[in-house]
Amino acid sequence: MTPLTAISTELEYVLKKEHSAEEYKNSLLGISEQTHEMINIVKTLLILAKDCEICSDSRKVFNLSHLLKNQIANEFKNDNVSIRVEDNIYLIGEADYFYMVLENIIGNAIKYSSPTDEVKVVVEDVNDMIKISIYDNGIGIPDSEKHKVFDSFYRGVNVESNGIKGYGLGLNLVRIVVNKMGGDILILDNEPKGTIFVVDMPKLIME
Ligand code: ADP
């Protein structure tokens, strides 16, 4: 079922008869959530269709510290996410696209963990790279799947059977944007369980 099917079903239900104010409010909240999800899918598909050309061409500069401490912290304010980043770390490229990279990896870390588990984001300045590590204590990714999860429409073998929703597009977008911006991404196992996504991005050297 796509978000559009859910929106259509919800609208049919609401329009069929009169409801209480509370019921209307709940329906609208559900429709708003599904709309947001649909917007994300369309945005992702459009970026993938163009192979994110703009990501390799862009010479814009953005403040990663600001992006994490404000937009990302705000988006995940109701989740158990901690963010450790020094002030004034800058990257080169499109901030909006890098925001989607972080949103996808952190969103997955939450989605594939239990609500009480903490998700940790740590940014380090290592030589000429900025290393962003996202730690979770969730279900983990077996070695046999680590290279497959970046393929488009790939979903882990045990996630569908566990009823965890998704379209298998997020990590495909992540890999394309990170690579086009000159970075690299790898997946490690966390201890005692879970996953660490490590994103290495070229540091902006101020002259
Ligand atoms: P989706 O989450 O919609 O299935 P993604 O492209 O974001 O698609 O991820 C692909 C697959 O990678 C997921 O189906 C899941 O099997 C696995 N995965 C991604 N992130 C995590 C994570 N933090 N922990 C465990 N599995 C993950």
Side-chain angles (χ1 to χ4, degrees), residues 11-27:
L11 286 173
E12 269 169 36
Y13 161 78
V14 176
L15 294 171
K16 218 172 190 168
K17 60 177 179 81
E18 287 286 312
H19 297 274
S20 68
E22 188 65 21
E23 281 176 312
Y24 281 123
K25 195 174 159 199
N26 284 338
S27 283

Side-chain angles (χ1 to χ4, degrees), residues 108-109 111-112 136 139-141 145 149 154-156 159 165-172 195 197:
N108 276 347
K111 186 163 81 166
Y112 296 110
D136 71 54
I139 61 172
I141 302 180
E145 288 194 345
V149 291
Y154 183 83
R155 302 210 70 219
V159 300
K165 293 203 181 96
Y167 298 91
L169 286 172
L171 288 184
N172 192 226
T195 309
F197 276 83

